[in-house]
Amino acid sequence: MRLQPFRRTLLAVVPLIAALAASSPAAAQLGALRRAAERRVEQTAEDRAAAASLIEPTFDATTIEITAERLDRYTAALGKVKAQRAENRAKYDEMEARRSALADSAAMFDNDGARNAFESSTTRYSTCRSDVRRAAEQASERSMQEVMTRMQRDPIGAQNDPKVKEIIGAMQAMALAQQSGDSAATRRAQERVYTVMGVTVADSASLDRAAAPKCGARPAKPASMVRAESFRARADSVDAAARALNSAAGGVKGADVGMTDVQSRMFWERVMSWLGGMRADAAITRTFSRAEYDLLVARRGALRRAFSGGE
């Protein structure tokens, strides 16, 4: 029997329609729903098996019971922490951009030629200044040695030496100052002993003045270096503030959720250990009452969203 043209066309189209239907969005959705249902069945079976391996917890001042009310408070506090971190991160990004701009400005003003010339002249000056300091120390040592030699050569006569009397008086004053415990007075008395004995103890400014005739003035930084260092210091300041801000929003504090800090930390660790998966070799992942376990199972999805990145 010959088929009518229409029937022949229809028979040819049917397999194509079936193939298209199998690949349609509706079919894909049905497949996804089926797979999700299968996963739920598997998860339910796993949950039942895990419930049989629970270890009954002991609640105390550190470990407190996981209840719906405490989970609500904790997840709300975690939400605030995350919001604060996001706000701080935005501020951090702004500060980092400012730090980068300041660093770029420092690099722009940093003149290699001027800096190298300054560093070379500073090295020469420091070497010359060190020579002046050593010469002064050697002269002081010779002066002190001369006094000591006179005292050893003629102890009796030295007692009448005005210079020796001055040294003895200064040393007695230093001893009294040390006995009094007054550090400022002791420092002044010690400086007086050095002075009368001819020992030169020069501070930096005094040494610069003593070195000037031989070494000239201390080299001044070129303007380019001053500006570059100013920008660099500002960049470092912004960077320190940005890093402090970035770490400002810590985890949930006990006071935020009606717990002590230790209880809050343990609460977090218990929930996270369960979310990470119960294991036979890790007791903390299985130490829950049946009421706690059922509550965690019921809220699994919400807890994963709330606790991810919360601490």
Side-chain angles (χ1 to χ4, degrees):
M1 180 180 67
R2 295 178 62 191
L3 295 174
Q4 297 296 325
F6 175 76
R7 289 191 64 194
R8 286 199 301 271
T9 303
L10 180 60
L11 289 174
V13 168
V14 167
L16 295 175
I17 293 175
L20 288 173
S23 61
S24 67
Q29 291 173 4
L30 288 173
L33 291 173
R34 185 181 67 254
R35 289 191 295 275
E38 291 172 352
R39 284 195 296 271
R40 283 196 296 273
V41 171
E42 293 172 358
Q43 184 69 68
T44 300
E46 290 177 7
D47 289 341
R48 282 198 300 268
S53 68
L54 291 175
I55 301 172
E56 192 66 27
T58 299
F59 300 126
D60 51 28
T62 298
T63 304
I64 60 176
E65 185 179 10
I66 298 172
T67 64
E69 179 185 4
R70 285 169 175 158
L71 277 179
D72 288 340
R73 287 203 302 263
Y74 209 97
T75 52
L78 281 173
K80 292 180 180 178
V81 167
K82 290 181 179 180
Q84 184 62 57
R85 284 179 177 170
E87 181 181 339
N88 286 359
R89 182 66 201 184
K91 292 179 180 177
Y92 173 85
D93 290 342
E94 294 176 2
M95 296 173 79
E96 179 61 18
R98 191 159 72 250
R99 183 209 62 77
S100 180
L102 288 167
D104 289 344
S105 296
M108 180 180 68
F109 283 106
D110 198 2
N111 184 297
D112 288 345
R115 185 179 66 256
N116 291 338
F118 170 74
E119 290 175 352
S120 296
S121 61
T122 298
T123 298
R124 289 193 298 272
Y125 177 80
S126 296
T127 301
C128 179
R129 186 174 181 268
S130 295
D131 292 342
V132 171
R133 176 179 56 78
R134 280 193 294 271
E137 289 173 350
Q138 290 169 359
S140 296
E141 186 176 353
R142 287 195 298 272
S143 175
M144 185 171 59
Q145 188 61 44
E146 289 173 2
V147 172
M148 297 298 296
T149 299
R150 288 204 310 272
M151 292 176 66
Q152 292 170 355
R153 185 184 305 119
D154 184 8
I156 297 176
Q159 293 178 10
N160 297 319
D161 188 317
K163 186 67 174 180
V164 173
K165 288 182 178 180
E166 189 178 11
I167 292 173
I168 292 173
M171 294 183 70
Q172 290 174 339
M174 184 177 69
L176 291 173
Q178 290 172 336
Q179 291 174 7
S180 71
D182 187 335
S183 58
T186 299
R187 186 177 62 255
R188 290 193 298 271
Q190 189 176 45
E191 291 173 353
R192 175 62 183 163
V193 170
Y194 288 151
T195 299
V196 298
M197 292 186 72
V199 177
T200 301
V201 182
D203 57 26
S204 182
S206 299
L207 189 53
D208 282 350
R209 288 193 293 271
K214 180 180 179 181
C215 309
R218 178 185 290 273
K221 285 185 180 180
S224 60
M225 279 190 68
V226 173
R227 296 197 68 178
E229 289 179 358
S230 174
F231 279 114
R232 198 170 291 117
R234 289 166 60 190
D236 291 344
S237 176
V238 171
D239 181 57
R243 284 187 282 106
L245 177 65
N246 195 38
S247 60
V252 172
K253 303 294 188 297
D256 299 334
V257 288
M259 307 176 192
T260 66
D261 286 339
V262 173
Q263 289 171 341
S264 174
R265 190 67 190 176
M266 179 56 70
F267 193 90
W268 159 266
E269 289 181 0
R270 294 186 71 213
V271 174
M272 285 299 295
S273 73
W274 182 81
L275 288 173
M278 297 173 70
R279 304 197 317 273
D281 62 342
I284 190 174
T285 67
R286 298 185 294 120
T287 306
F288 300 94
S289 69
R290 184 55 190 264
E292 289 181 315
Y293 180 77
D294 290 343
L295 178 61
L296 293 172
V297 169
R299 295 196 178 190
R300 188 190 337 256
L303 291 175
R304 282 174 176 167
R305 290 189 296 272
F307 277 68
S308 61
E311 282 282 307

